[in-house]
mmCIF file of all heavy atoms in Angstrom:
data_model
loop_
_atom_site.group_PDB
_atom_site.id
_atom_site.type_symbol
_atom_site.label_atom_id
_atom_site.label_comp_id
_atom_site.label_asym_id
_atom_site.label_seq_id
_atom_site.Cartn_x
_atom_site.Cartn_y
_atom_site.Cartn_z
ATOM 1 N N LEU A 18 158.082 164.373 117.041
ATOM 2 C CA LEU A 18 158.274 163.472 115.936
ATOM 3 C C LEU A 18 157.626 163.853 114.609
ATOM 4 O O LEU A 18 157.826 163.277 113.574
ATOM 5 C CB LEU A 18 157.820 162.036 116.290
ATOM 6 C CG LEU A 18 158.464 161.453 117.571
ATOM 7 C CD1 LEU A 18 157.990 159.984 117.793
ATOM 8 C CD2 LEU A 18 159.968 161.491 117.561
ATOM 9 N N LYS A 19 156.732 164.881 114.693
ATOM 10 C CA LYS A 19 156.124 165.344 113.458
ATOM 11 C C LYS A 19 157.181 166.049 112.593
ATOM 12 O O LYS A 19 158.015 166.794 113.071
ATOM 13 C CB LYS A 19 154.989 166.315 113.771
ATOM 14 C CG LYS A 19 154.141 166.707 112.520
ATOM 15 C CD LYS A 19 152.962 167.529 112.909
ATOM 16 C CE LYS A 19 152.145 167.994 111.722
ATOM 17 N NZ LYS A 19 151.565 166.909 110.930
ATOM 18 N N ILE A 20 157.126 165.785 111.258
ATOM 19 C CA ILE A 20 158.096 166.379 110.343
ATOM 20 C C ILE A 20 157.948 167.888 110.329
ATOM 21 O O ILE A 20 156.828 168.459 110.201
ATOM 22 C CB ILE A 20 157.908 165.804 108.927
ATOM 23 C CG1 ILE A 20 158.178 164.320 108.878
ATOM 24 C CG2 ILE A 20 158.795 166.560 107.939
ATOM 25 C CD1 ILE A 20 159.614 163.960 109.272
ATOM 26 N N ILE A 21 159.086 168.586 110.423
ATOM 27 C CA ILE A 21 159.137 170.052 110.377
ATOM 28 C C ILE A 21 159.959 170.439 109.181
ATOM 29 O O ILE A 21 161.161 170.209 109.120
ATOM 30 C CB ILE A 21 159.795 170.632 111.661
ATOM 31 C CG1 ILE A 21 159.032 170.235 112.917
ATOM 32 C CG2 ILE A 21 159.962 172.135 111.587
ATOM 33 C CD1 ILE A 21 159.731 170.563 114.247
ATOM 34 N N ASP A 22 159.277 171.017 108.181
ATOM 35 C CA ASP A 22 159.943 171.393 106.936
ATOM 36 C C ASP A 22 160.213 172.941 107.024
ATOM 37 O O ASP A 22 159.276 173.744 106.918
ATOM 38 C CB ASP A 22 158.997 171.143 105.760
ATOM 39 C CG ASP A 22 159.701 171.336 104.395
ATOM 40 O OD1 ASP A 22 160.549 172.306 104.319
ATOM 41 O OD2 ASP A 22 159.421 170.602 103.431
ATOM 42 N N ALA A 23 161.456 173.281 107.264
ATOM 43 C CA ALA A 23 161.839 174.708 107.487
ATOM 44 C C ALA A 23 161.446 175.597 106.316
ATOM 45 O O ALA A 23 160.886 176.691 106.508
ATOM 46 C CB ALA A 23 163.304 174.810 107.758
ATOM 47 N N GLN A 25 159.078 175.159 104.103
ATOM 48 C CA GLN A 25 157.665 175.329 104.067
ATOM 49 C C GLN A 25 157.119 176.282 105.110
ATOM 50 O O GLN A 25 156.229 177.108 104.856
ATOM 51 C CB GLN A 25 156.967 173.937 104.296
ATOM 52 C CG GLN A 25 155.598 173.853 103.679
ATOM 53 C CD GLN A 25 155.234 172.351 103.555
ATOM 54 O OE1 GLN A 25 155.592 171.532 104.352
ATOM 55 N NE2 GLN A 25 154.481 172.063 102.494
ATOM 56 N N GLU A 53 165.802 168.302 116.050
ATOM 57 C CA GLU A 53 166.880 167.472 115.474
ATOM 58 C C GLU A 53 166.790 167.501 113.976
ATOM 59 O O GLU A 53 165.709 167.408 113.373
ATOM 60 C CB GLU A 53 166.725 166.055 115.958
ATOM 61 C CG GLU A 53 167.095 165.841 117.445
ATOM 62 C CD GLU A 53 168.567 165.949 117.711
ATOM 63 O OE1 GLU A 53 169.393 165.563 116.816
ATOM 64 O OE2 GLU A 53 168.969 166.368 118.846
ATOM 65 N N ARG A 54 167.916 167.646 113.313
ATOM 66 C CA ARG A 54 167.958 167.654 111.821
ATOM 67 C C ARG A 54 167.921 166.242 111.273
ATOM 68 O O ARG A 54 168.758 165.407 111.653
ATOM 69 C CB ARG A 54 169.293 168.353 111.402
ATOM 70 C CG ARG A 54 169.449 168.525 109.910
ATOM 71 C CD ARG A 54 170.747 169.223 109.649
ATOM 72 N NE ARG A 54 171.035 169.522 108.218
ATOM 73 C CZ ARG A 54 171.611 168.658 107.390
ATOM 74 N NH1 ARG A 54 172.062 167.482 107.801
ATOM 75 N NH2 ARG A 54 171.790 169.021 106.192
ATOM 76 N N LEU A 55 166.995 165.974 110.410
ATOM 77 C CA LEU A 55 166.866 164.682 109.776
ATOM 78 C C LEU A 55 167.599 164.670 108.424
ATOM 79 O O LEU A 55 168.243 163.700 108.035
ATOM 80 C CB LEU A 55 165.414 164.314 109.545
ATOM 81 C CG LEU A 55 164.516 164.242 110.776
ATOM 82 C CD1 LEU A 55 163.080 163.998 110.423
ATOM 83 C CD2 LEU A 55 165.065 163.129 111.736
ATOM 84 N N THR A 56 167.514 165.747 107.738
ATOM 85 C CA THR A 56 168.281 165.997 106.491
ATOM 86 C C THR A 56 168.200 167.514 106.246
ATOM 87 O O THR A 56 167.573 168.233 107.031
ATOM 88 C CB THR A 56 167.672 165.229 105.325
ATOM 89 O OG1 THR A 56 168.536 165.304 104.143
ATOM 90 C CG2 THR A 56 166.305 165.736 104.908
ATOM 91 N N LYS A 57 168.860 167.971 105.199
ATOM 92 C CA LYS A 57 168.854 169.414 104.989
ATOM 93 C C LYS A 57 167.462 170.052 104.987
ATOM 94 O O LYS A 57 166.635 169.674 104.120
ATOM 95 C CB LYS A 57 169.579 169.733 103.657
ATOM 96 C CG LYS A 57 169.750 171.197 103.419
ATOM 97 C CD LYS A 57 170.519 171.468 102.104
ATOM 98 C CE LYS A 57 170.647 172.995 101.862
ATOM 99 N NZ LYS A 57 171.357 173.245 100.561
ATOM 100 N N GLY A 58 167.180 170.965 105.885
ATOM 101 C CA GLY A 58 165.904 171.636 105.900
ATOM 102 C C GLY A 58 164.787 170.956 106.550
ATOM 103 O O GLY A 58 163.675 171.464 106.682
ATOM 104 N N ILE A 59 165.016 169.698 106.969
ATOM 105 C CA ILE A 59 163.935 168.869 107.544
ATOM 106 C C ILE A 59 164.351 168.521 109.020
ATOM 107 O O ILE A 59 165.418 167.975 109.219
ATOM 108 C CB ILE A 59 163.682 167.591 106.758
ATOM 109 C CG1 ILE A 59 163.292 167.903 105.316
ATOM 110 C CG2 ILE A 59 162.572 166.742 107.437
ATOM 111 C CD1 ILE A 59 161.930 168.613 105.144
ATOM 112 N N TYR A 60 163.432 168.797 109.923
ATOM 113 C CA TYR A 60 163.719 168.588 111.348
ATOM 114 C C TYR A 60 162.535 167.910 112.035
ATOM 115 O O TYR A 60 161.479 167.695 111.436
ATOM 116 C CB TYR A 60 163.973 169.932 112.040
ATOM 117 C CG TYR A 60 165.056 170.759 111.464
ATOM 118 C CD1 TYR A 60 164.890 171.548 110.322
ATOM 119 C CD2 TYR A 60 166.345 170.734 111.993
ATOM 120 C CE1 TYR A 60 165.854 172.346 109.767
ATOM 121 C CE2 TYR A 60 167.398 171.475 111.443
ATOM 122 C CZ TYR A 60 167.166 172.250 110.352
ATOM 123 O OH TYR A 60 168.162 172.995 109.806
ATOM 124 N N CYS A 61 162.719 167.583 113.307
ATOM 125 C CA CYS A 61 161.606 167.120 114.122
ATOM 126 C C CYS A 61 161.937 167.475 115.553
ATOM 127 O O CYS A 61 163.110 167.742 115.920
ATOM 128 C CB CYS A 61 161.410 165.610 113.981
ATOM 129 S SG CYS A 61 162.648 164.624 114.825
ATOM 130 N N LEU A 72 163.870 159.870 117.206
ATOM 131 C CA LEU A 72 163.590 160.766 116.065
ATOM 132 C C LEU A 72 162.431 160.196 115.196
ATOM 133 O O LEU A 72 161.995 159.074 115.387
ATOM 134 C CB LEU A 72 164.829 160.978 115.224
ATOM 135 C CG LEU A 72 166.062 161.444 115.999
ATOM 136 C CD1 LEU A 72 167.239 161.691 114.988
ATOM 137 C CD2 LEU A 72 165.785 162.692 116.790
ATOM 138 N N SER A 73 162.009 160.988 114.277
ATOM 139 C CA SER A 73 160.934 160.610 113.412
ATOM 140 C C SER A 73 161.252 159.278 112.716
ATOM 141 O O SER A 73 162.324 159.088 112.203
ATOM 142 C CB SER A 73 160.679 161.672 112.340
ATOM 143 O OG SER A 73 160.368 162.949 112.927
ATOM 144 N N SER A 74 160.241 158.418 112.697
ATOM 145 C CA SER A 74 160.406 157.124 112.069
ATOM 146 C C SER A 74 159.894 157.115 110.636
ATOM 147 O O SER A 74 159.371 158.110 110.132
ATOM 148 C CB SER A 74 159.578 156.098 112.890
ATOM 149 O OG SER A 74 158.183 156.352 112.732
ATOM 150 N N GLU A 75 160.050 156.010 109.984
ATOM 151 C CA GLU A 75 159.552 155.839 108.583
ATOM 152 C C GLU A 75 158.060 156.137 108.583
ATOM 153 O O GLU A 75 157.533 156.811 107.665
ATOM 154 C CB GLU A 75 159.786 154.416 108.178
ATOM 155 C CG GLU A 75 159.238 153.999 106.818
ATOM 156 C CD GLU A 75 159.423 152.519 106.594
ATOM 157 O OE1 GLU A 75 160.599 152.097 106.359
ATOM 158 O OE2 GLU A 75 158.441 151.766 106.655
ATOM 159 N N LYS A 76 157.335 155.676 109.611
ATOM 160 C CA LYS A 76 155.883 155.952 109.704
ATOM 161 C C LYS A 76 155.543 157.438 109.762
ATOM 162 O O LYS A 76 154.614 157.917 109.103
ATOM 163 C CB LYS A 76 155.360 155.218 110.910
ATOM 164 C CG LYS A 76 153.841 155.396 111.165
ATOM 165 C CD LYS A 76 153.390 154.511 112.343
ATOM 166 C CE LYS A 76 151.911 154.711 112.660
ATOM 167 N NZ LYS A 76 151.640 156.025 113.279
ATOM 168 N N ASP A 77 156.347 158.178 110.563
ATOM 169 C CA ASP A 77 156.116 159.612 110.686
ATOM 170 C C ASP A 77 156.369 160.346 109.399
ATOM 171 O O ASP A 77 155.603 161.218 109.042
ATOM 172 C CB ASP A 77 157.041 160.169 111.789
ATOM 173 C CG ASP A 77 156.805 159.592 113.173
ATOM 174 O OD1 ASP A 77 155.667 159.560 113.577
ATOM 175 O OD2 ASP A 77 157.798 159.149 113.763
ATOM 176 N N ILE A 78 157.371 159.897 108.688
ATOM 177 C CA ILE A 78 157.728 160.530 107.420
ATOM 178 C C ILE A 78 156.611 160.254 106.394
ATOM 179 O O ILE A 78 156.191 161.197 105.663
ATOM 180 C CB ILE A 78 159.107 160.008 106.879
ATOM 181 C CG1 ILE A 78 160.192 160.386 107.844
ATOM 182 C CG2 ILE A 78 159.426 160.572 105.481
ATOM 183 C CD1 ILE A 78 161.539 159.666 107.611
ATOM 184 N N LEU A 79 156.170 159.030 106.296
ATOM 185 C CA LEU A 79 155.116 158.655 105.374
ATOM 186 C C LEU A 79 153.834 159.422 105.699
ATOM 187 O O LEU A 79 153.161 159.922 104.764
ATOM 188 C CB LEU A 79 154.859 157.157 105.414
ATOM 189 C CG LEU A 79 155.904 156.306 104.720
ATOM 190 C CD1 LEU A 79 155.599 154.785 104.939
ATOM 191 C CD2 LEU A 79 156.047 156.591 103.245
ATOM 192 N N GLU A 80 153.490 159.506 106.952
ATOM 193 C CA GLU A 80 152.254 160.237 107.346
ATOM 194 C C GLU A 80 152.330 161.712 106.899
ATOM 195 O O GLU A 80 151.328 162.287 106.461
ATOM 196 C CB GLU A 80 152.086 160.214 108.876
ATOM 197 C CG GLU A 80 151.586 158.831 109.329
ATOM 198 C CD GLU A 80 151.377 158.773 110.875
ATOM 199 O OE1 GLU A 80 151.745 159.749 111.542
ATOM 200 O OE2 GLU A 80 150.854 157.703 111.378
ATOM 201 N N HIS A 81 153.523 162.271 106.970
ATOM 202 C CA HIS A 81 153.638 163.709 106.580
ATOM 203 C C HIS A 81 153.394 163.887 105.063
ATOM 204 O O HIS A 81 152.683 164.763 104.651
ATOM 205 C CB HIS A 81 155.038 164.168 106.965
ATOM 206 C CG HIS A 81 155.353 165.629 106.485
ATOM 207 N ND1 HIS A 81 154.790 166.689 107.145
ATOM 208 C CD2 HIS A 81 156.067 166.112 105.414
ATOM 209 C CE1 HIS A 81 155.180 167.789 106.545
ATOM 210 N NE2 HIS A 81 155.932 167.459 105.516
ATOM 211 N N TYR A 82 154.002 163.037 104.291
ATOM 212 C CA TYR A 82 153.976 163.198 102.813
ATOM 213 C C TYR A 82 152.736 162.538 102.169
ATOM 214 O O TYR A 82 152.357 162.926 101.052
ATOM 215 C CB TYR A 82 155.256 162.702 102.185
ATOM 216 C CG TYR A 82 156.434 163.570 102.454
ATOM 217 C CD1 TYR A 82 157.405 163.249 103.382
ATOM 218 C CD2 TYR A 82 156.498 164.842 101.847
ATOM 219 C CE1 TYR A 82 158.481 164.096 103.633
ATOM 220 C CE2 TYR A 82 157.568 165.709 102.112
ATOM 221 C CZ TYR A 82 158.528 165.336 103.023
ATOM 222 O OH TYR A 82 159.579 166.257 103.280
ATOM 223 N N LEU A 83 152.113 161.580 102.813
ATOM 224 C CA LEU A 83 150.880 161.029 102.290
ATOM 225 C C LEU A 83 149.703 161.880 102.716
ATOM 226 O O LEU A 83 148.713 161.953 101.951
ATOM 227 C CB LEU A 83 150.721 159.581 102.803
ATOM 228 C CG LEU A 83 151.682 158.505 102.204
ATOM 229 C CD1 LEU A 83 151.424 157.190 102.888
ATOM 230 C CD2 LEU A 83 151.449 158.402 100.716
ATOM 231 N N ARG A 96 157.430 148.574 97.697
ATOM 232 C CA ARG A 96 156.361 148.471 98.749
ATOM 233 C C ARG A 96 154.989 148.306 98.087
ATOM 234 O O ARG A 96 154.129 147.664 98.583
ATOM 235 C CB ARG A 96 156.372 149.790 99.578
ATOM 236 C CG ARG A 96 157.585 149.904 100.482
ATOM 237 C CD ARG A 96 157.560 148.871 101.588
ATOM 238 N NE ARG A 96 158.763 148.936 102.379
ATOM 239 C CZ ARG A 96 158.856 149.481 103.578
ATOM 240 N NH1 ARG A 96 157.819 150.104 104.108
ATOM 241 N NH2 ARG A 96 160.014 149.535 104.277
ATOM 242 N N LYS A 109 164.030 147.890 101.887
ATOM 243 C CA LYS A 109 163.998 148.801 103.050
ATOM 244 C C LYS A 109 163.766 150.230 102.541
ATOM 245 O O LYS A 109 163.335 151.099 103.309
ATOM 246 C CB LYS A 109 165.268 148.700 103.822
ATOM 247 C CG LYS A 109 166.524 149.213 103.115
ATOM 248 C CD LYS A 109 167.739 149.184 104.051
ATOM 249 C CE LYS A 109 168.938 149.757 103.301
ATOM 250 N NZ LYS A 109 170.145 149.771 104.203
ATOM 251 N N ASP A 110 164.068 150.477 101.269
ATOM 252 C CA ASP A 110 163.863 151.815 100.704
ATOM 253 C C ASP A 110 162.457 152.001 100.235
ATOM 254 O O ASP A 110 161.856 151.088 99.693
ATOM 255 C CB ASP A 110 164.872 152.042 99.554
ATOM 256 C CG ASP A 110 166.290 151.994 99.976
ATOM 257 O OD1 ASP A 110 166.570 152.548 101.091
ATOM 258 O OD2 ASP A 110 167.135 151.449 99.215
ATOM 259 N N ILE A 111 161.934 153.202 100.458
ATOM 260 C CA ILE A 111 160.551 153.514 100.040
ATOM 261 C C ILE A 111 160.561 154.658 98.980
ATOM 262 O O ILE A 111 161.298 155.641 99.216
ATOM 263 C CB ILE A 111 159.680 153.920 101.260
ATOM 264 C CG1 ILE A 111 159.597 152.803 102.242
ATOM 265 C CG2 ILE A 111 158.337 154.367 100.775
ATOM 266 C CD1 ILE A 111 158.854 153.132 103.501
ATOM 267 N N GLN A 112 159.806 154.474 97.931
ATOM 268 C CA GLN A 112 159.663 155.552 96.912
ATOM 269 C C GLN A 112 158.251 156.048 96.912
ATOM 270 O O GLN A 112 157.314 155.221 97.116
ATOM 271 C CB GLN A 112 160.015 154.984 95.559
ATOM 272 C CG GLN A 112 161.463 154.510 95.414
ATOM 273 C CD GLN A 112 161.661 153.823 94.070
ATOM 274 O OE1 GLN A 112 161.164 152.743 93.810
ATOM 275 N NE2 GLN A 112 162.387 154.489 93.180
ATOM 276 N N MET A 113 158.105 157.295 96.664
ATOM 277 C CA MET A 113 156.738 157.883 96.679
ATOM 278 C C MET A 113 156.626 159.149 95.869
ATOM 279 O O MET A 113 157.668 159.789 95.655
ATOM 280 C CB MET A 113 156.239 158.046 98.079
ATOM 281 C CG MET A 113 157.026 159.132 98.859
ATOM 282 S SD MET A 113 156.423 159.279 100.591
ATOM 283 C CE MET A 113 154.722 159.748 100.330
ATOM 284 N N SER A 115 154.423 162.834 95.997
ATOM 285 C CA SER A 115 153.612 163.631 96.959
ATOM 286 C C SER A 115 153.484 165.052 96.485
ATOM 287 O O SER A 115 154.402 165.543 95.800
ATOM 288 C CB SER A 115 154.304 163.623 98.351
ATOM 289 O OG SER A 115 153.626 164.526 99.241
ATOM 290 N N ILE A 117 153.215 167.464 98.654
ATOM 291 C CA ILE A 117 153.624 168.238 99.818
ATOM 292 C C ILE A 117 154.913 168.978 99.633
ATOM 293 O O ILE A 117 155.006 170.160 99.946
ATOM 294 C CB ILE A 117 153.678 167.307 101.078
ATOM 295 C CG1 ILE A 117 152.267 166.755 101.408
ATOM 296 C CG2 ILE A 117 154.267 168.065 102.248
ATOM 297 C CD1 ILE A 117 151.291 167.796 101.941
ATOM 298 N N PRO A 118 155.999 168.291 99.180
ATOM 299 C CA PRO A 118 157.293 169.000 99.153
ATOM 300 C C PRO A 118 157.368 170.140 98.198
ATOM 301 O O PRO A 118 156.670 170.165 97.171
ATOM 302 C CB PRO A 118 158.269 167.897 98.762
ATOM 303 C CG PRO A 118 157.470 166.952 97.997
ATOM 304 C CD PRO A 118 156.084 166.937 98.640
ATOM 305 N N LEU A 119 158.199 171.145 98.492
ATOM 306 C CA LEU A 119 158.441 172.269 97.614
ATOM 307 C C LEU A 119 159.509 171.940 96.576
ATOM 308 O O LEU A 119 159.541 172.467 95.468
ATOM 309 C CB LEU A 119 158.820 173.511 98.381
ATOM 310 C CG LEU A 119 157.789 174.008 99.414
ATOM 311 C CD1 LEU A 119 158.368 175.196 100.171
ATOM 312 C CD2 LEU A 119 156.496 174.442 98.691
ATOM 313 N N GLU A 120 160.390 171.007 96.946
ATOM 314 C CA GLU A 120 161.461 170.602 96.078
ATOM 315 C C GLU A 120 161.009 169.472 95.143
ATOM 316 O O GLU A 120 160.070 168.784 95.424
ATOM 317 C CB GLU A 120 162.681 170.087 96.871
ATOM 318 C CG GLU A 120 163.260 171.119 97.826
ATOM 319 C CD GLU A 120 162.520 171.137 99.181
ATOM 320 O OE1 GLU A 120 161.549 170.365 99.356
ATOM 321 O OE2 GLU A 120 162.893 171.964 100.042
ATOM 322 N N LYS A 122 162.780 166.778 94.443
ATOM 323 C CA LYS A 122 163.104 165.504 95.046
ATOM 324 C C LYS A 122 163.534 165.756 96.469
ATOM 325 O O LYS A 122 164.095 166.802 96.813
ATOM 326 C CB LYS A 122 164.270 164.854 94.298
ATOM 327 C CG LYS A 122 163.901 164.293 92.916
ATOM 328 C CD LYS A 122 165.085 163.559 92.295
ATOM 329 C CE LYS A 122 164.744 163.045 90.912
ATOM 330 N NZ LYS A 122 165.903 162.346 90.290
ATOM 331 N N ARG A 123 163.234 164.771 97.321
ATOM 332 C CA ARG A 123 163.577 164.958 98.711
ATOM 333 C C ARG A 123 163.869 163.554 99.263
ATOM 334 O O ARG A 123 163.103 162.569 99.037
ATOM 335 C CB ARG A 123 162.383 165.539 99.424
ATOM 336 C CG ARG A 123 162.432 165.690 100.940
ATOM 337 C CD ARG A 123 163.628 166.554 101.339
ATOM 338 N NE ARG A 123 163.319 167.924 101.502
ATOM 339 C CZ ARG A 123 164.216 168.793 102.007
ATOM 340 N NH1 ARG A 123 165.382 168.345 102.354
ATOM 341 N NH2 ARG A 123 163.951 170.029 102.148
ATOM 342 N N GLN A 124 165.014 163.391 99.919
ATOM 343 C CA GLN A 124 165.420 162.135 100.557
ATOM 344 C C GLN A 124 165.496 162.293 102.042
ATOM 345 O O GLN A 124 166.258 163.094 102.559
ATOM 346 C CB GLN A 124 166.750 161.679 99.983
ATOM 347 C CG GLN A 124 167.227 160.275 100.535
ATOM 348 C CD GLN A 124 166.497 159.112 99.865
ATOM 349 O OE1 GLN A 124 166.224 159.142 98.663
ATOM 350 N NE2 GLN A 124 166.203 158.097 100.678
ATOM 351 N N ILE A 125 164.673 161.540 102.768
ATOM 352 C CA ILE A 125 164.703 161.570 104.204
ATOM 353 C C ILE A 125 164.851 160.157 104.707
ATOM 354 O O ILE A 125 163.977 159.340 104.591
ATOM 355 C CB ILE A 125 163.420 162.192 104.812
ATOM 356 C CG1 ILE A 125 163.114 163.531 104.169
ATOM 357 C CG2 ILE A 125 163.528 162.377 106.342
ATOM 358 C CD1 ILE A 125 161.793 164.097 104.528
ATOM 359 N N ARG A 126 166.050 159.884 105.233
ATOM 360 C CA ARG A 126 166.381 158.522 105.638
ATOM 361 C C ARG A 126 166.148 157.566 104.501
ATOM 362 O O ARG A 126 166.709 157.726 103.451
ATOM 363 C CB ARG A 126 165.647 158.167 106.916
ATOM 364 C CG ARG A 126 165.978 159.021 108.091
ATOM 365 C CD ARG A 126 165.442 158.483 109.421
ATOM 366 N NE ARG A 126 166.110 159.119 110.540
ATOM 367 C CZ ARG A 126 165.917 158.742 111.771
ATOM 368 N NH1 ARG A 126 165.125 157.757 112.094
ATOM 369 N NH2 ARG A 126 166.546 159.356 112.719
ATOM 370 N N ASN A 127 165.300 156.563 104.684
ATOM 371 C CA ASN A 127 165.100 155.545 103.630
ATOM 372 C C ASN A 127 163.909 155.912 102.708
ATOM 373 O O ASN A 127 163.480 155.088 101.886
ATOM 374 C CB ASN A 127 164.865 154.184 104.252
ATOM 375 C CG ASN A 127 163.584 154.091 105.055
ATOM 376 O OD1 ASN A 127 163.280 155.047 105.804
ATOM 377 N ND2 ASN A 127 162.815 153.043 104.943
ATOM 378 N N VAL A 128 163.392 157.122 102.853
ATOM 379 C CA VAL A 128 162.220 157.502 102.095
ATOM 380 C C VAL A 128 162.599 158.558 101.008
ATOM 381 O O VAL A 128 163.128 159.608 101.321
ATOM 382 C CB VAL A 128 161.111 158.110 102.949
ATOM 383 C CG1 VAL A 128 159.859 158.464 102.125
ATOM 384 C CG2 VAL A 128 160.699 157.111 104.043
ATOM 385 N N SER A 129 162.336 158.176 99.710
ATOM 386 C CA SER A 129 162.630 159.037 98.621
ATOM 387 C C SER A 129 161.311 159.624 98.118
ATOM 388 O O SER A 129 160.405 158.879 97.680
ATOM 389 C CB SER A 129 163.297 158.264 97.501
ATOM 390 O OG SER A 129 163.503 159.061 96.366
ATOM 391 N N VAL A 130 161.165 160.974 98.140
ATOM 392 C CA VAL A 130 159.927 161.620 97.770
ATOM 393 C C VAL A 130 160.134 162.479 96.508
ATOM 394 O O VAL A 130 161.083 163.261 96.385
ATOM 395 C CB VAL A 130 159.471 162.587 98.873
ATOM 396 C CG1 VAL A 130 158.075 163.096 98.572
ATOM 397 C CG2 VAL A 130 159.487 161.888 100.257
ATOM 398 N N LYS A 131 159.288 162.219 95.517
ATOM 399 C CA LYS A 131 159.295 163.009 94.301
ATOM 400 C C LYS A 131 157.994 163.868 94.271
ATOM 401 O O LYS A 131 156.916 163.410 94.612
ATOM 402 C CB LYS A 131 159.299 162.110 93.045
ATOM 403 C CG LYS A 131 160.636 161.355 92.893
ATOM 404 C CD LYS A 131 160.533 160.505 91.612
ATOM 405 C CE LYS A 131 161.812 159.674 91.400
ATOM 406 N NZ LYS A 131 161.757 158.816 90.212
#
Side-chain angles (χ1 to χ4, degrees):
L18 306 183
K19 187 174 176 65
I20 296 298
I21 299 170
D22 187 326
Q25 204 162 35
E53 290 287 330
R54 183 179 183 272
L55 300 176
T56 189
K57 184 179 179 181
I59 302 292
Y60 303 83
C61 75
L72 305 184
S73 302
S74 66
E75 176 186 288
K76 179 175 178 288
D77 298 310
I78 297 167
L79 287 175
E80 284 180 354
H81 177 76
Y82 288 105
L83 289 176
R96 290 293 175 101
K109 66 176 183 178
D110 297 321
I111 298 177
Q112 297 173 289
M113 64 182 301
S115 172
I117 295 291
L119 298 176
E120 301 85 0
K122 291 183 180 180
R123 177 58 94 173
Q124 182 75 39
I125 309 172
R126 296 193 166 187
N127 65 318
V128 182
S129 176
V130 188
K131 293 181 181 178

